[in-house]
Amino acid sequence: MTAINLRAIAKPLALLILATAITGLMIAASKAIGRSPQDSYVTPQWAITLHLLTVIPALPLGGYVIFSSKGDALHMLLGKIWAALMLITAIDSFWIREVTGHIGPIHIFSVVTLISLPMGIYAIHKGNVEGHRRAMRGTFIGLCVAGLFALMPGRMLGSLIFG
């Protein structure tokens, strides 16, 4: 039987708990601030437009940055562009609440992005290549998973594409 390395799982588990707590607080705040039960939230068109303008190029660009050579000037430039797109995407997502009218579970990807991107940038500035790699790969995988959730039936993007 293999022993569980608690040190290896402590940091990711703490980040997951933190992200879940922040998302829960945001959901509660969204429900409590300035809305009566009769109000219905309408996602602003600018939020959807901005989201699509940042997330669509972030998908192939992130894939390229992750699978191309590392450490050269092109990797750093494209990585900075990708990180900026991801930050804008994550922040903008909090205005997109079409399904529930408030911040929902899919927004946990945004919270995790807002935590992991700075951690990855900090890691590479400290010379921690492996920490940087984990943070950026995790963010990219989160982008892909959130995209799949966005395509589900009943979601705005899924309905737009699949009818």
Side-chain angles (χ1 to χ4, degrees), residues 53-108:
L53 285 173
T54 55
V55 79
I56 290 171
L59 275 164
L61 181 59
Y64 178 80
V65 171
I66 285 178
F67 295 110
S68 66
S69 62
K70 309 292 184 272
D72 60 8
L74 182 62
H75 174 82
M76 289 187 278
L77 173 64
L78 295 178
K80 288 174 184 176
I81 293 168
W82 179 76
L85 289 170
M86 289 301 297
L87 285 173
I88 294 167
T89 298
I91 293 166
D92 173 65
S93 74
F94 294 110
W95 277 270
I96 302 173
R97 311 178 219 158
E98 202 64 35
V99 173
T100 61
H102 55 82
I103 294 169
I106 195 166
H107 290 97
I108 197 163

Side-chain angles (χ1 to χ4, degrees), residues 125-143:
H125 281 285
K126 290 295 184 181
N128 181 356
V129 175
E130 186 55 36
H132 173 74
R133 182 180 295 125
R134 278 195 311 266
M136 296 306 169
R137 280 187 181 163
T139 302
F140 181 72
I141 291 168
L143 170 65

